[in-house]
Coordinates of all heavy atoms in Angstrom, one line a residue:
M7 N -4.2 17.5 4.0 CA -4.4 16.1 4.5 C -4.6 15.1 3.3 O -5.3 15.5 2.4 CB -5.6 16.0 5.6 CG -5.9 14.6 6.0 SD -7.1 14.3 7.3 CE -8.4 15.3 6.7
V8 N -4.0 14.0 3.4 CA -4.1 13.0 2.5 C -4.8 11.8 3.2 O -4.4 11.3 4.3 CB -2.7 12.5 1.9 CG1 -2.8 11.2 1.0 CG2 -2.1 13.7 1.3
E9 N -5.8 11.2 2.5 CA -6.4 10.0 3.1 C -6.1 8.9 2.2 O -6.1 9.0 0.9 CB -8.0 10.2 3.0 CG -8.5 11.2 4.0 CD -10.0 11.3 4.2 OE1 -10.6 10.2 4.0 OE2 -10.5 12.3 4.4
L10 N -5.7 7.8 2.7 CA -5.4 6.6 2.0 C -5.8 5.3 2.7 O -6.0 5.4 3.9 CB -3.8 6.5 1.6 CG -2.8 6.4 2.8 CD1 -2.6 5.0 3.0 CD2 -1.6 7.1 2.3
A11 N -6.0 4.3 1.9 CA -6.3 3.1 2.6 C -5.2 2.1 2.2 O -4.8 2.0 1.0 CB -7.6 2.5 2.1
A12 N -4.6 1.3 3.0 CA -3.6 0.4 2.8 C -3.8 -0.9 3.6 O -4.3 -0.7 4.7 CB -2.3 0.9 3.0
D13 N -3.4 -2.0 3.2 CA -3.4 -3.3 3.9 C -2.3 -3.3 5.0 O -2.4 -3.9 6.0 CB -3.3 -4.4 3.0 CG -4.4 -4.6 2.1 OD1 -5.6 -4.3 2.5 OD2 -4.3 -5.1 1.0
G14 N -1.2 -2.5 4.8 CA -0.1 -2.5 5.7 C 1.0 -1.8 5.1 O 1.0 -1.1 4.0
F15 N 2.2 -1.7 5.8 CA 3.4 -1.1 5.2 C 4.7 -1.9 5.7 O 4.6 -2.7 6.6 CB 3.5 0.4 5.6 CG 4.0 0.5 7.1 CD1 5.3 0.7 7.3 CD2 3.0 0.6 8.1 CE1 5.7 0.9 8.7 CE2 3.4 0.8 9.4 CZ 4.8 0.9 9.6
T16 N 5.7 -1.8 4.9 CA 7.0 -2.3 5.2 C 8.0 -1.1 5.2 O 7.7 -0.1 4.6 CB 7.4 -3.3 4.1 OG1 7.4 -2.7 2.8 CG2 6.5 -4.5 4.1
E17 N 9.0 -1.3 5.9 CA 10.1 -0.3 6.0 C 11.2 -0.5 5.0 O 11.6 -1.7 4.9 CB 10.6 -0.1 7.3 CG 11.6 1.0 7.6 CD 12.0 1.2 9.0 OE1 11.4 0.7 9.9 OE2 13.0 1.9 9.2
H18 N 11.6 0.5 4.2 CA 12.7 0.2 3.3 C 13.5 1.5 3.1 O 12.8 2.7 2.8 CB 12.2 -0.2 1.8 CG 13.2 -0.4 0.9 ND1 14.1 -1.4 0.9 CD2 13.5 0.4 -0.2 CE1 15.0 -1.3 -0.1 NE2 14.7 -0.2 -0.8
D19 N 14.7 1.6 3.4 CA 15.6 2.7 3.2 C 15.0 3.9 4.0 O 15.1 5.0 3.3 CB 15.8 2.9 1.7 CG 17.0 3.8 1.3 OD1 17.9 3.9 2.2 OD2 17.0 4.4 0.3
G20 N 14.6 3.8 5.1 CA 14.0 5.1 5.9 C 12.7 5.5 5.5 O 12.2 6.6 6.0
H21 N 12.0 4.7 4.7 CA 10.6 5.1 4.2 C 9.7 4.0 4.6 O 10.1 2.7 4.6 CB 10.6 5.4 2.8 CG 11.2 6.6 2.4 ND1 12.6 6.7 2.2 CD2 10.7 7.9 2.1 CE1 12.9 8.0 1.9 NE2 11.7 8.7 1.8
A22 N 8.4 4.4 4.8 CA 7.3 3.3 5.0 C 6.7 3.2 3.6 O 6.3 4.2 3.0 CB 6.3 3.8 6.0
L23 N 6.6 2.0 3.0 CA 6.0 1.7 1.8 C 4.6 1.1 2.1 O 4.4 -0.1 2.5 CB 6.8 0.8 0.9 CG 8.3 1.2 0.6 CD1 8.9 0.1 -0.2 CD2 8.2 2.6 0.0
F24 N 3.6 1.9 2.0 CA 2.2 1.5 2.2 C 1.6 0.7 1.0 O 1.8 1.3 -0.2 CB 1.3 2.6 2.5 CG 1.5 3.2 4.0 CD1 2.5 4.2 4.1 CD2 0.8 2.8 5.0 CE1 2.8 4.7 5.3 CE2 1.1 3.1 6.2 CZ 2.0 4.2 6.4
S25 N 1.0 -0.4 1.1 CA 0.5 -1.1 0.0 C -0.8 -1.7 0.2 O -1.3 -1.8 1.3 CB 1.6 -2.3 -0.3 OG 1.6 -3.1 0.8
V26 N -1.5 -2.2 -1.0 CA -2.6 -2.9 -1.0 C -2.4 -4.1 -1.9 O -1.7 -4.1 -2.8 CB -3.9 -2.1 -1.4 CG1 -4.2 -1.0 -0.5 CG2 -3.7 -1.5 -2.8
L27 N -3.2 -5.2 -1.6 CA -3.3 -6.3 -2.5 C -4.5 -5.9 -3.6 O -5.5 -5.5 -3.2 CB -3.7 -7.6 -1.8 CG -2.6 -8.2 -0.9 CD1 -3.0 -9.3 -0.1 CD2 -1.4 -8.4 -1.6
A28 N -4.2 -6.3 -4.8 CA -5.1 -5.9 -5.9 C -5.0 -7.0 -6.9 O -4.0 -7.6 -7.1 CB -4.8 -4.6 -6.5
N29 N -6.2 -7.4 -7.5 CA -6.2 -8.1 -8.7 C -6.0 -7.2 -9.9 O -6.8 -6.4 -10.1 CB -7.4 -8.9 -8.9 CG -7.6 -10.0 -7.8 OD1 -6.5 -10.6 -7.4 ND2 -8.7 -10.4 -7.5
A30 N -4.9 -7.5 -10.7 CA -4.6 -6.5 -11.8 C -4.2 -7.4 -13.1 O -3.3 -8.2 -12.9 CB -3.6 -5.5 -11.5
T31 N -4.7 -7.0 -14.2 CA -4.1 -7.6 -15.4 C -2.8 -7.1 -15.7 O -2.3 -6.1 -15.1 CB -5.1 -7.2 -16.6 OG1 -4.9 -5.8 -16.9 CG2 -6.5 -7.6 -16.3
S32 N -2.1 -7.7 -16.6 CA -0.7 -7.3 -16.9 C -0.7 -5.8 -17.4 O 0.2 -5.1 -17.1 CB 0.0 -8.2 -17.9 OG -0.7 -8.4 -19.0
E33 N -1.7 -5.5 -18.2 CA -1.8 -4.1 -18.7 C -2.0 -3.2 -17.5 O -1.4 -2.0 -17.5 CB -2.9 -3.9 -19.7 CG -2.8 -4.7 -21.0 CD -3.0 -6.2 -20.8 OE1 -3.8 -6.6 -20.0 OE2 -2.7 -6.9 -21.8
E34 N -2.9 -3.5 -16.5 CA -3.0 -2.6 -15.4 C -1.8 -2.5 -14.6 O -1.4 -1.5 -14.0 CB -4.1 -3.1 -14.6 CG -5.5 -3.0 -15.2 CD -6.6 -3.8 -14.6 OE1 -6.5 -4.8 -14.0 OE2 -7.8 -3.3 -14.7
Q35 N -1.0 -3.6 -14.5 CA 0.2 -3.6 -13.6 C 1.2 -2.6 -14.2 O 2.1 -2.1 -13.5 CB 0.8 -5.0 -13.5 CG -0.1 -6.0 -12.7 CD 0.4 -7.4 -12.7 OE1 1.7 -7.6 -12.8 NE2 -0.4 -8.3 -12.6
E36 N 1.2 -2.4 -15.5 CA 2.2 -1.4 -16.1 C 1.9 -0.1 -15.8 O 2.7 0.8 -15.9 CB 2.1 -1.7 -17.6 CG 2.6 -2.9 -18.1 CD 2.4 -3.1 -19.7 OE1 2.0 -2.2 -20.3 OE2 2.6 -4.2 -20.1
Q37 N 0.7 0.2 -15.2 CA 0.3 1.6 -14.8 C 0.6 1.9 -13.4 O 0.4 3.0 -12.9 CB -1.1 1.8 -15.1 CG -1.4 1.6 -16.6 CD -3.0 1.8 -16.9 OE1 -3.6 2.6 -16.2 NE2 -3.3 1.0 -17.9
V38 N 1.0 0.9 -12.5 CA 1.3 1.2 -11.1 C 2.6 0.6 -10.7 O 3.2 -0.2 -11.5 CB 0.1 0.5 -10.2 CG1 -1.2 1.1 -10.6 CG2 0.1 -1.1 -10.5
Q39 N 3.0 0.9 -9.5 CA 4.3 0.3 -9.0 C 4.0 -0.9 -8.2 O 3.4 -0.9 -7.2 CB 5.1 1.3 -8.2 CG 6.4 0.7 -7.8 CD 7.3 1.7 -7.1 OE1 7.0 2.9 -7.1 NE2 8.4 1.3 -6.6
V40 N 4.3 -2.1 -8.9 CA 4.1 -3.3 -8.2 C 5.3 -3.7 -7.3 O 6.4 -3.6 -7.7 CB 3.8 -4.5 -9.3 CG1 3.8 -5.8 -8.6 CG2 2.7 -4.2 -10.1
L41 N 4.9 -3.9 -6.0 CA 6.0 -4.3 -5.0 C 6.2 -5.7 -4.9 O 7.3 -6.1 -4.5 CB 5.5 -3.7 -3.6 CG 5.4 -2.2 -3.5 CD1 5.0 -1.8 -2.1 CD2 6.7 -1.5 -3.9
G42 N 5.3 -6.6 -5.3 CA 5.5 -8.0 -5.2 C 4.3 -8.8 -5.7 O 3.3 -8.3 -6.0
W43 N 4.4 -10.0 -5.7 CA 3.4 -11.1 -6.1 C 3.3 -12.0 -5.0 O 3.8 -13.2 -5.1 CB 3.9 -11.7 -7.4 CG 3.9 -10.8 -8.6 CD1 2.9 -10.6 -9.5 CD2 5.0 -9.9 -8.9 NE1 3.4 -9.6 -10.5 CE2 4.6 -9.2 -10.1 CE3 6.2 -9.6 -8.4 CZ2 5.4 -8.2 -10.7 CZ3 7.0 -8.6 -9.0 CH2 6.6 -8.0 -10.2
P44 N 2.5 -11.7 -3.9 CA 2.4 -12.6 -2.8 C 1.5 -13.8 -2.9 O 1.5 -14.6 -2.0 CB 2.0 -11.6 -1.6 CG 1.2 -10.6 -2.4 CD 1.9 -10.4 -3.8
A45 N 0.8 -13.8 -3.9 CA -0.2 -14.8 -4.2 C -0.2 -15.2 -5.6 O 0.5 -14.7 -6.4 CB -1.6 -14.4 -3.7
A46 N -1.1 -16.1 -6.1 CA -1.3 -16.5 -7.4 C -1.7 -15.3 -8.3 O -2.5 -14.5 -7.8 CB -2.2 -17.7 -7.5
A47 N -1.3 -15.3 -9.5 CA -1.8 -14.3 -10.4 C -3.3 -14.3 -10.5 O -3.9 -15.4 -10.4 CB -1.2 -14.6 -11.8
P48 N -3.9 -13.2 -10.6 CA -3.4 -11.8 -10.9 C -3.3 -11.1 -9.7 O -3.2 -9.8 -9.9 CB -4.4 -11.3 -11.8 CG -5.8 -11.7 -11.3 CD -5.4 -13.2 -10.8
T49 N -3.1 -11.5 -8.4 CA -2.9 -10.8 -7.3 C -1.6 -10.2 -7.1 O -0.6 -11.0 -7.2 CB -3.3 -11.6 -6.0 OG1 -4.6 -12.1 -6.2 CG2 -3.2 -10.7 -4.8
V50 N -1.5 -8.9 -6.9 CA -0.2 -8.2 -6.8 C -0.2 -7.2 -5.6 O -1.3 -6.8 -5.2 CB 0.2 -7.4 -8.1 CG1 0.5 -8.4 -9.3 CG2 -0.9 -6.4 -8.4
M51 N 0.9 -6.9 -5.1 CA 1.0 -5.9 -4.0 C 1.4 -4.5 -4.7 O 2.4 -4.5 -5.4 CB 2.1 -6.2 -3.0 CG 2.1 -5.3 -1.8 SD 3.4 -5.9 -0.7 CE 2.9 -7.5 -0.3
V52 N 0.4 -3.5 -4.6 CA 0.6 -2.3 -5.3 C 1.0 -1.2 -4.3 O 0.4 -1.0 -3.2 CB -0.6 -1.9 -6.0 CG1 -0.5 -0.5 -6.6 CG2 -1.0 -2.9 -7.0
L53 N 1.9 -0.4 -4.7 CA 2.3 0.7 -3.8 C 1.2 1.8 -3.7 O 0.7 2.2 -4.8 CB 3.6 1.4 -4.3 CG 4.2 2.6 -3.6 CD1 4.6 2.2 -2.2 CD2 5.3 3.3 -4.4
V54 N 0.8 2.2 -2.5 CA -0.1 3.3 -2.4 C 0.5 4.6 -1.9 O 0.1 5.6 -2.5 CB -1.2 2.8 -1.3 CG1 -2.2 4.0 -1.0 CG2 -1.9 1.6 -1.6
A55 N 1.5 4.5 -1.1 CA 2.2 5.7 -0.7 C 3.5 5.4 -0.1 O 3.8 4.2 0.4 CB 1.4 6.4 0.4
K56 N 4.5 6.4 -0.3 CA 5.8 6.2 0.3 C 6.1 7.4 1.1 O 6.1 8.5 0.7 CB 6.9 6.1 -0.9 CG 8.3 6.0 -0.3 CD 9.3 5.9 -1.6 CE 10.7 5.9 -1.2 NZ 11.6 5.9 -2.4
L57 N 6.3 7.2 2.5 CA 6.4 8.2 3.4 C 7.7 8.1 4.3 O 8.1 6.9 4.6 CB 5.3 8.4 4.4 CG 3.9 8.6 3.9 CD1 2.8 8.4 4.9 CD2 3.7 9.9 3.1
P58 N 8.4 9.2 4.5 CA 9.6 9.1 5.5 C 9.1 8.5 6.9 O 8.0 8.8 7.3 CB 10.0 10.5 5.7 CG 9.6 11.2 4.5 CD 8.3 10.5 4.2
M59 N 9.9 7.5 7.5 CA 9.5 6.9 8.7 C 9.2 8.0 9.8 O 8.3 7.9 10.6 CB 10.6 5.9 9.1 CG 10.6 4.7 8.4 SD 9.0 3.7 8.4 CE 8.8 3.3 10.1
A60 N 9.9 9.1 9.8 CA 9.6 10.2 10.7 C 8.2 10.7 10.6 O 7.7 11.2 11.7 CB 10.7 11.3 10.6
E61 N 7.7 10.7 9.5 CA 6.3 11.2 9.3 C 5.3 10.2 9.7 O 4.2 10.6 10.0 CB 6.1 11.6 7.8 CG 7.0 12.8 7.5 CD 6.7 14.0 8.2 OE1 5.5 14.4 8.4 OE2 7.6 14.7 8.6
V62 N 5.6 8.9 9.7 CA 4.6 7.9 10.0 C 4.1 8.0 11.4 O 3.0 7.8 11.7 CB 5.3 6.5 9.8 CG1 4.4 5.3 10.2 CG2 5.5 6.3 8.3
A63 N 5.0 8.4 12.3 CA 4.6 8.7 13.7 C 3.5 9.7 13.8 O 2.7 9.7 14.9 CB 5.7 9.1 14.5
K64 N 3.3 10.5 12.9 CA 2.3 11.6 12.9 C 0.9 11.1 12.3 O -0.1 11.9 12.4 CB 2.7 12.8 12.1 CG 4.1 13.5 12.7 CD 4.5 14.6 11.8 CE 5.9 15.1 12.2 NZ 6.3 16.2 11.3
I65 N 0.9 9.9 11.8 CA -0.4 9.4 11.1 C -1.4 9.2 12.1 O -1.1 8.5 13.2 CB -0.1 8.2 10.2 CG1 0.8 8.6 9.0 CG2 -1.3 7.6 9.7 CD1 1.2 7.4 8.2
E66 N -2.6 9.6 11.9 CA -3.8 9.3 12.8 C -4.6 8.2 12.1 O -5.0 8.4 10.8 CB -4.6 10.6 12.9 CG -3.9 11.7 13.7 CD -4.8 12.8 14.0 OE1 -6.0 12.7 13.9 OE2 -4.2 13.9 14.2
G67 N -4.9 7.2 12.8 CA -5.7 6.1 12.1 C -7.1 6.4 12.1 O -7.6 7.2 12.9
G68 N -7.8 5.8 11.2 CA -9.2 5.9 11.1 C -10.0 4.7 11.4 O -9.4 3.8 12.0
E69 N -11.2 4.7 11.1 CA -12.0 3.5 11.2 C -11.6 2.4 10.2 O -11.3 2.7 9.1 CB -13.5 3.8 11.1 CG -14.0 4.8 12.2 CD -13.9 4.3 13.5 OE1 -14.2 3.0 13.8 OE2 -13.5 5.0 14.4
P70 N -11.7 1.1 10.7 CA -11.4 0.0 9.7 C -12.5 0.0 8.6 O -13.6 0.5 8.8 CB -11.3 -1.2 10.5 CG -12.1 -0.8 11.8 CD -12.0 0.6 12.0
W71 N -12.1 -0.6 7.5 CA -13.1 -0.7 6.4 C -14.3 -1.6 6.9 O -14.1 -2.5 7.8 CB -12.5 -1.3 5.1 CG -11.6 -0.5 4.5 CD1 -11.5 0.8 4.6 CD2 -10.6 -0.9 3.5 NE1 -10.4 1.3 3.7 CE2 -10.0 0.3 3.0 CE3 -10.2 -2.1 3.1 CZ2 -8.9 0.2 2.2 CZ3 -9.2 -2.3 2.1 CH2 -8.5 -1.1 1.7
P72 N -15.5 -1.4 6.4 CA -16.6 -2.4 6.9 C -16.3 -3.8 6.7 O -15.7 -4.2 5.6 CB -17.7 -1.9 6.0 CG -17.4 -0.5 5.6 CD -15.9 -0.4 5.5
G73 N -16.4 -4.6 7.7 CA -16.2 -6.0 7.6 C -14.7 -6.4 8.0 O -14.5 -7.5 8.0
H74 N -14.0 -5.4 8.3 CA -12.5 -5.7 8.7 C -12.3 -5.2 10.1 O -12.9 -4.4 10.6 CB -11.6 -4.9 7.8 CG -11.5 -5.4 6.4 ND1 -12.5 -5.1 5.5 CD2 -10.6 -6.2 5.7 CE1 -12.4 -5.7 4.3 NE2 -11.2 -6.3 4.4
T75 N -11.5 -6.0 10.7 CA -11.1 -5.6 12.2 C -9.6 -5.4 12.3 O -8.9 -5.7 11.4 CB -11.4 -6.8 13.1 OG1 -10.7 -8.0 12.7 CG2 -12.9 -7.1 13.2
I76 N -9.3 -4.7 13.4 CA -7.9 -4.3 13.5 C -7.3 -5.3 14.5 O -7.9 -5.8 15.4 CB -7.7 -2.9 14.2 CG1 -8.3 -1.9 13.2 CG2 -6.3 -2.6 14.5 CD1 -8.3 -0.5 13.6

């Protein structure tokens, strides 16, 4: 089992791309796969996991992070 935390996902080419927003310096951004820049620097959207859409239906949700609602 893999546990991950993500802000959401988008579908691309038959896969779900799970991502989180993070503040990262340019040096840190070189170490991860950046999917986009949805806000002012240094906020970036970072890839957390890439799963086939057929597998996404099998994902069981957990509790939201403290202070966050679904």
